[in-house]
């Protein structure tokens, strides 16, 4: 994915600047801040809270910001900008994200992006099903890293117990999926669990509501799941993983509406529901490809949009596939900043339920910058109700082999000691240096 000249100006100066001025969206003040306190032309140093002042696009005669010594400086528009410092964002200098977690893969194994899934390939990441110790992983992520959400991908074929025909939910298979859900819930009293049907808006190669399963069949599956978990406020319903190449986005919005209505009518009236768009639910194209406008029409049975959250994904490598050994972008100018603007204008929120990178220095740098921007634009404080991002969920832990390029699987030694991957330890975990305090700790 190509980056603009603008991106090069803001990459690693997002939170620190060792010389010159902070770039657009970069930090320019706040308690403990020792970097640049002026902004490049076209942006103004704006106080967001006691701990963070940010260069926000716009112009003004002057703006005063608090610095480490409690003195004030005048923001101006100098002609040069700083270059990358290569450092992680400083701890404790941004607003809290509501959710931070990781995907627990395994029950989605055997599913392809054409919506074909092999039911027998699903592999619960639990010791009782001969999988990895998903319960231990989740307990570690909560207790040691400060995570508070896990996404639990599962194939639609596994849920209905049939590779080629949609039918009622298989109660025997649901027992296995529920074991993973219960392990998630047991990992901490404040842990949330995202139920994610991982089928790319398809079943057996055909698109839901557009030549494939009917909206009623899709709604029936979600109604059954919702009825089982309707009384648990820590369940989040992830309608569908990464729809792509959907011919009619408005028809897809109708399929999403059918699922939302079924979930609410089953008694799950207050839980969050995640609404996915087209193009692999990319944060970069969520608005431009028409997904945002179409999904704005999806409502609860009472006509409200309460707890209907837009589901978006974004990786950091050159083709946004998450398969490359290096990362090339923090996605801020090409995805997160424009999306934040649109969400504020429309008073909506988004949740990044898939993001990740290799365990490499470039990914640590760019991921830290992406996380920091999202935290600056989180919904974590009532003082700033325009914050719009709920959080992020990394890909992936669970049953993946630790050699997998996007592995966030912690290694276990001596039965009790867990060691995180480089990306998690240095950046993605709330208790890591780059994210400490991101869940309000």
């Amino acid at each position: 994915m190509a980056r603009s000249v603008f991106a090069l100006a803001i990459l690693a100066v997002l939170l620190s600047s060792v010389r010159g001025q902070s770039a657009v969206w970069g930090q320019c003040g706040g308690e403990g801040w020792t970097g640049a306190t002026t902004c490049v032309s076209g942006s103004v140093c704006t106080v967001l809270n006691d701990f963070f002042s940010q260069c926000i696009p716009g112009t003004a005669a002057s703006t005063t910001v608090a610095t480490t010594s409690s003195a004030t400086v005048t923001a101006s528009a100098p002609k040069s900008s700083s270059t990358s410092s290569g450092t992680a964002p400083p701890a404790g200098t941004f607003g809290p994200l509501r959710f931070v977690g990781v995907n627990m893969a395994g029950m989605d194994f055997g599913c392809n992006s054409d919506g074909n899934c092999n039911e027998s390939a699903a592999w619960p990441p639990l010791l009782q099903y001969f999988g990895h110790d998903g319960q231990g992983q989740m307990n570690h992520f909560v207790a040691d890293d400060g995570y508070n959400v896990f996404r639990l991908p599962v194939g639609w074929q596994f849920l209905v117990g049939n590779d080629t025909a949609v039918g009622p939910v298989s109660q025997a298979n649901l027992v296995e999926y529920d074991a993973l859900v219960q392990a998630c819930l047991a990992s901490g009293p404040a842990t949330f669990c995202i139920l994610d049907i991982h089928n790319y808006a398809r079943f057996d190669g055909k698109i839901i509501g557009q030549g494939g399963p009917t909206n009623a069949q899709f709604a029936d599956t979600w109604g059954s799941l919702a009825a089982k978990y309707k009384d648990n406020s820590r369940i989040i319903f992830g309608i569908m993983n990464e729809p792509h190449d959907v011919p009619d986005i408005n028809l897809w919005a109708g399929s999403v509406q059918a699922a939302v209505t079924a979930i609410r009518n089953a008694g799950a009236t207050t839980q969050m529901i995640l609404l996915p768009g087209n193009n692999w639910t990319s944060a970069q194209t969520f608005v431009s490809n028409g997904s945002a406008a179409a999904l704005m029409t999806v409502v609860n049975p009472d006509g409200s949009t309460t707890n209907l959250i837009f589901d978006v994904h974004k990786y950091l490598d050159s083709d946004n596939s998450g398969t490359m050994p290096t990362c090339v972008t923090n996605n801020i100018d090409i995805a997160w900043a424009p999306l934040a603007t649109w969400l504020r204008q429309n008073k909506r929120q988004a949740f990044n339920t898939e993001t990740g990178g290799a365990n490499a220095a470039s990914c640590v740098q760019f991921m830290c910058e992406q996380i920091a921007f999202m935290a600056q634009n989180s919904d974590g404080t009532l003082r700033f109700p325009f914050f719009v991002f709920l959080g992020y969920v990394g890909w992936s832990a669970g049953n993946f082999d630790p050699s997998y390029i996007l592995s966030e699987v912690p290694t276990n030694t001596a039965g009790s000691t867990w060691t995180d991957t480089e990306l998690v330890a240095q950046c993605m975990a709330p208790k890591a240096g780059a994210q400490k305090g991101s869940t309000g700790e």
Side-chain angles (χ1 to χ4, degrees):
M1 182 179 301
R3 290 180 294 154
S4 67
V5 174
F6 177 66
L8 295 174
I10 69 170
L11 292 178
V13 296
L14 176 62
L15 293 179
S16 62
S17 176
V18 294
R19 54 193 175 92
Q21 292 72 44
S22 287
V24 177
W25 304 115
Q27 184 172 355
C28 55
E31 184 176 323
W33 175 248
T34 59
T37 54
T38 57
C39 302
V40 296
S41 178
S43 61
V44 177
C45 193
T46 305
V47 177
L48 297 184
N49 55 47
D50 293 341
F51 302 98
F52 205 97
S53 297
Q54 182 181 25
C55 293
I56 293 177
T59 58
S62 66
T63 304
T64 57
V65 296
T67 64
T68 307
S69 63
S70 299
T72 59
V73 296
T74 300
S76 59
K79 296 181 179 179
S80 63
S81 63
S82 65
T83 57
S84 172
S85 68
T87 59
T93 57
F94 39 74
L97 286 162
R98 184 175 177 186
F99 297 110
V100 175
V102 65
N103 283 265
M104 298 298 295
M107 302 199 76
D108 57 314
F109 286 6
C111 286
N112 299 319
S113 61
D114 61 0
N116 281 291
C117 294
N118 182 351
E119 178 202 351
S120 63
W123 186 21
L126 296 169
L127 293 175
Q128 65 262 42
Y129 296 110
F130 307 100
H132 292 183
D133 185 9
Q135 179 75 77
Q137 290 181 29
M138 289 187 282
N139 291 347
H140 154 69
F141 282 129
V142 172
D144 300 329
D145 289 334
Y147 283 2
N148 66 350
V149 64
F150 298 100
R151 185 169 178 252
L152 312 176
V154 62
W156 193 0
Q157 282 85 340
F158 180 81
L159 288 174
V160 300
N162 194 307
D163 286 351
T164 58
V166 179
V169 168
S170 164
Q171 293 305 306
N173 286 2
L174 185 57
V175 168
E176 293 189 26
Y177 187 57
D178 182 59
L180 182 60
V181 175
Q182 297 305 320
C184 172
L185 293 169
S187 65
T191 301
F192 284 72
C193 309
I194 303 172
L195 312 187
D196 161 52
I197 297 182
H198 213 76
N199 275 67
Y200 307 91
R202 291 158 167 79
F203 191 104
D204 196 25
K206 298 178 181 178
I207 297 173
I208 300 166
Q210 300 183 49
T214 65
N215 289 349
Q217 289 174 310
F218 188 42
D220 181 69
T221 298
W222 271 118
S224 296
L225 291 175
K228 183 173 182 62
Y229 299 106
K230 62 185 175 65
D231 296 322
N232 196 312
S233 62
R234 293 190 284 137
I235 295 295
I236 300 172
F237 300 101
I239 294 293
M240 178 58 61
N241 176 68
E242 295 188 346
H244 66 89
D245 300 294
V246 175
D248 191 322
I249 189 60
N250 293 306
L251 287 179
W252 170 243
S255 300
V256 173
Q257 179 67 72
V260 168
T261 301
I263 290 169
R264 295 305 192 215
N265 286 345
T269 58
T270 61
Q271 292 96 328
M272 284 184 286
I273 303 177
L274 307 181
L275 315 180
N278 208 350
N279 193 30
W280 314 90
T281 202
S282 168
Q284 182 175 346
T285 61
F286 188 77
V287 176
S288 63
N289 69 20
S291 295
L295 293 173
M296 283 282 284
T297 67
V298 177
V299 296
N300 294 310
D302 64 1
S304 74
T305 57
T306 304
N307 282 331
L308 300 184
I309 310 299
F310 295 128
D311 192 0
V312 294
H313 293 175
K314 202 77 181 79
Y315 287 92
L316 290 77
D317 51 2
S318 59
D319 64 355
N320 192 42
S321 67
T323 62
M324 305 297 179
T326 59
C327 296
V328 301
T329 177
N330 57 24
N331 292 312
I332 293 168
D333 71 311
I334 59 176
W336 299 117
L339 182 57
T341 297
W342 185 91
L343 290 167
R344 286 194 184 98
Q345 291 172 343
N346 290 277
K347 298 181 173 61
R348 299 299 293 267
Q349 295 173 313
F351 195 165
N352 182 10
T353 61
E354 263 193 45
T355 190
N359 289 290
S362 61
C363 296
V364 170
Q365 175 186 338
F366 292 130
M367 180 63 76
C368 284
E369 293 166 1
Q370 175 177 285
I371 288 171
F373 181 84
M374 294 187 73
Q376 295 162 23
N377 293 273
S378 72
D379 73 334
T381 169
L382 294 176
R383 290 181 296 171
F384 301 101
F386 54 83
F387 291 171
V388 293
F389 295 125
L390 295 186
Y392 60 90
V393 186
W395 185 272
S396 178
N399 269 345
F400 277 116
D401 187 292
S403 64
Y404 169 54
I405 195 168
L406 292 181
S407 174
E408 295 181 17
V409 177
T411 56
N412 180 253
T413 56
S416 59
T417 302
W418 293 89
T419 302
D420 285 315
T421 63
E422 179 183 7
L423 191 63
V424 170
Q426 294 195 36
C427 189
M428 299 193 76
K431 291 184 179 179
Q435 257 294 103
K436 192 173 183 180
S438 69
T439 54
E441 295 181 275

